[in-house]
Amino acid sequence: MKHWVAEKLICPDCLPEEHSLKTQISREAKGDIIDGKLNCPACGRAYVVQDGIANLRPEKTLRVKGVNNGYNAPVMLSAYMWSHFGDLLADARATDAYRIWSQSFVPTSGDALDVGCAVGRLSFELSKTHDRVIGIDTSFAFIARARQIVREKNLDFELVVEGNLTERKHVAFDNGWHFENIDFIVADALALPFAGRDFSGVAAINVLEKVPDPLKHLEEINRVLRPKDAMFLFSDPFSWDPAFSAPERWLGGSGNGSSPYSKRGIDTVRRMFAGEFGVFDPPFEIADQGNVSWKIRKTENLWEQISSQFLVGCRKAD
Ligand SMILES: C[S@@+](CC[C@H](N)C(=O)[O-])C[C@H]1O[C@@H](n2cnc3c(N)ncnc32)[C@H](O)[C@@H]1O
């Protein structure tokens, strides 16, 4: 973990109180903290940094799935590496989803946060428009891979063909990403380890339907986003699944006529952007919206085609 990231961290277990963490370094290399601890002076919890990966997951928020969940499996790593970087491999079957999402970013002073970043493509793109970028995810496998890309500044990975049969893929990047200003940590979208109003840009794509408490996820984004001169890129397929969140927590598609969230999720989020339900304060002006066609390739013969509905919200400078 880079020093500038350590300086921004607060204790997620103490939220809503915000207590900065004290860094205790056991080993570092080339400006990267490799092993150490991040200690909370208020609650006494020590968050571990091991092999450069800081684990800021809180103990007391709703439990997210354990380290063996789907997003840590090798087939998922291969799937997301292809999904994020397939266009750079010149694979004709790749989509231009991340190019479309990243077109919404406008150069803005201040730092950006990519919530549920997976292997980091959007974070890399955000480094072209923001001062520094932090990607967070609960998957150790994804965060370790994203950090490896930052270190090596190129891509080398095993793409699953079928079963244990893989094919080596390589890409050398030459696309204006500022690797020195990007880092990735393990953290929970429902208890972000950052002080309020710390970011001028937040992206959360394809995450809402994957967290156990979707409303809390949006409230956390509101907490860490600046009230002025800020943007929020939101996108989701709204394919609600009780395996991730209980139906009473869904923000759309509940089918329960007495719930404010019985209709389409994108309409709920649009109303939230406008200030309804008290989630976003101040509200956002919608700068762009649409659908992005996005693909995940699990094996040579297994593909998922997804339509993700996006909204770009802006808070003006004055
Ligand atoms: C559908 S994937 C989307 C990944 C990426 N944003 C993209 O669109 O390519 C959902 C991501 O959210 C992460 N995730 C799930 N629950 C999370 C949580 N509570 N906090 C942070 N990340 C989470 C998963 O590990 C996974 O990387």
Side-chain angles (χ1 to χ4, degrees), residues 80 98 178 292 304:
Y80 273 83
Y98 295 89
H178 300 283
V292 170
E304 264 182 66

Side-chain angles (χ1 to χ4, degrees), residues 57 62-65 69-72 76 80 83-84 98 101 114-122 136-140 142 186-192 203-212 217 235-237 244 294 296 306 308:
R57 278 175 61 172
L62 275 173
R63 277 204 71 72
V64 288
K65 293 183 176 181
N69 78 357
Y71 289 114
N72 278 294
M76 275 306 222
Y80 273 83
S83 173
H84 280 207
Y98 295 89
W101 278 313
D114 181 6
V115 181
C117 60
V119 290
R121 173 65 185 270
L122 208 68
I136 69 126
D137 202 286
T138 41
S139 163
F140 273 83
F142 285 171
V186 173
D188 187 349
L190 306 185
L192 296 170
I205 60 168
N206 309 317
V207 179
L208 187 80
E209 61 176 41
K210 301 291 189 231
V211 293
H217 163 52
S235 196
D236 209 74
F244 289 100
W294 173 53
I296 298 179
I306 300 152
S308 189

Side-chain angles (χ1 to χ4, degrees), residues 86-116:
D87 56 333
L88 306 178
L89 294 168
D91 187 332
R93 295 162 299 181
T95 68
D96 56 359
Y98 295 89
R99 192 186 52 74
I100 297 171
W101 278 313
S102 58
Q103 271 171 0
S104 327
F105 304 140
V106 286
T108 314
S109 66
D111 297 341
L113 178 68
D114 181 6
V115 181

Side-chain angles (χ1 to χ4, degrees), residues 6-318:
E7 282 159 21
K8 287 172 86 76
L9 295 173
I10 64 156
C11 178
D13 268 311
C14 285
L15 285 168
E17 286 174 35
E18 298 186 352
H19 298 289
S20 295
L21 298 174
K22 302 261 174 289
T23 313
Q24 186 187 331
I25 301 172
S26 316
R27 190 161 65 96
E28 68 181 302
K30 296 181 188 158
D32 220 19
I33 303 169
I34 307 296
D35 293 309
K37 284 192 178 143
L38 298 152
N39 300 307
C40 176
C43 73
R45 182 147 180 226
Y47 299 88
V48 173
V49 185
Q50 200 172 14
D51 298 327
I53 300 174
N55 181 3
L56 270 294
R57 278 175 61 172
E59 268 172 359
K60 69 184 190 196
T61 56
L62 275 173
R63 277 204 71 72
V64 288
K65 293 183 176 181
V67 288
N68 297 322
N69 78 357
Y71 289 114
N72 278 294
V75 71
M76 275 306 222
L77 188 57
S78 161
Y80 273 83
M81 289 297 277
W82 185 90
S83 173
H84 280 207
F85 302 107
D87 56 333
L88 306 178
L89 294 168
D91 187 332
R93 295 162 299 181
T95 68
D96 56 359
Y98 295 89
R99 192 186 52 74
I100 297 171
W101 278 313
S102 58
Q103 271 171 0
S104 327
F105 304 140
V106 286
T108 314
S109 66
D111 297 341
L113 178 68
D114 181 6
V115 181
C117 60
V119 290
R121 173 65 185 270
L122 208 68
S123 305
F124 293 118
E125 297 292 349
L126 274 162
S127 76
K128 295 201 278 196
T129 49
H130 287 70
D131 293 341
R132 298 174 303 190
V133 187
I134 301 176
I136 69 126
D137 202 286
T138 41
S139 163
F140 273 83
F142 285 171
I143 293 299
R145 207 62 182 73
R147 292 199 85 250
Q148 189 180 341
I149 296 171
V150 170
R151 273 196 317 276
E152 297 178 356
K153 303 177 182 50
N154 65 42
L155 198 65
D156 232 328
F157 74 104
E158 295 295 331
L159 183 70
V160 172
V161 177
E162 73 176 63
N164 293 326
L165 188 63
T166 61
E167 215 172 77
R168 192 134 201 94
K169 293 287 177 191
H170 179 82
V171 187
F173 299 128
D174 178 19
N175 36 23
W177 296 341
H178 300 283
F179 293 100
E180 68 286 6
N181 298 335
I182 310 169
D183 207 352
F184 298 93
I185 62 169
V186 173
D188 187 349
L190 306 185
L192 296 170
F194 304 104
R197 305 175 163 205
D198 198 13
F199 294 94
S200 62
V202 175
I205 60 168
N206 309 317
V207 179
L208 187 80
E209 61 176 41
K210 301 291 189 231
V211 293
D213 190 343
L215 185 61
K216 181 73 183 164
H217 163 52
L218 297 179
E219 287 170 348
E220 274 295 89
I221 288 169
N222 181 63
R223 181 179 66 79
V224 301
L225 195 60
R226 293 197 307 219
K228 287 180 184 176
D229 197 15
M231 65 156 281
F232 174 31
L233 167 64
F234 167 86
S235 196
D236 209 74
F238 298 100
S239 49
W240 304 107
D241 180 345
F244 289 100
S245 53
E248 57 273 19
R249 291 189 188 269
W250 297 350
L251 300 183
S254 73
N256 169 4
S258 62
S259 155
Y261 310 132
S262 63
K263 301 230 167 66
R264 302 299 302 266
I266 190 68
D267 295 326
T268 306
V269 179
R270 193 178 285 109
R271 287 169 66 188
M272 286 175 171
F273 270 39
E276 279 189 64
F277 306 111
V279 178
F280 295 114
D281 181 18
F284 296 110
E285 275 178 30
I286 294 180
D288 198 6
Q289 56 190 311
N291 280 35
V292 170
S293 177
W294 173 53
K295 263 191 223 168
I296 298 179
R297 175 204 177 281
K298 288 192 174 153
T299 71
E300 184 64 40
N301 295 332
L302 178 58
W303 302 70
E304 264 182 66
Q305 171 93 45
I306 300 152
S307 179
S308 189
Q309 296 180 280
F310 76 89
L311 293 173
V312 180
C314 284
R315 289 173 176 163
K316 293 258 163 70
D318 260 313

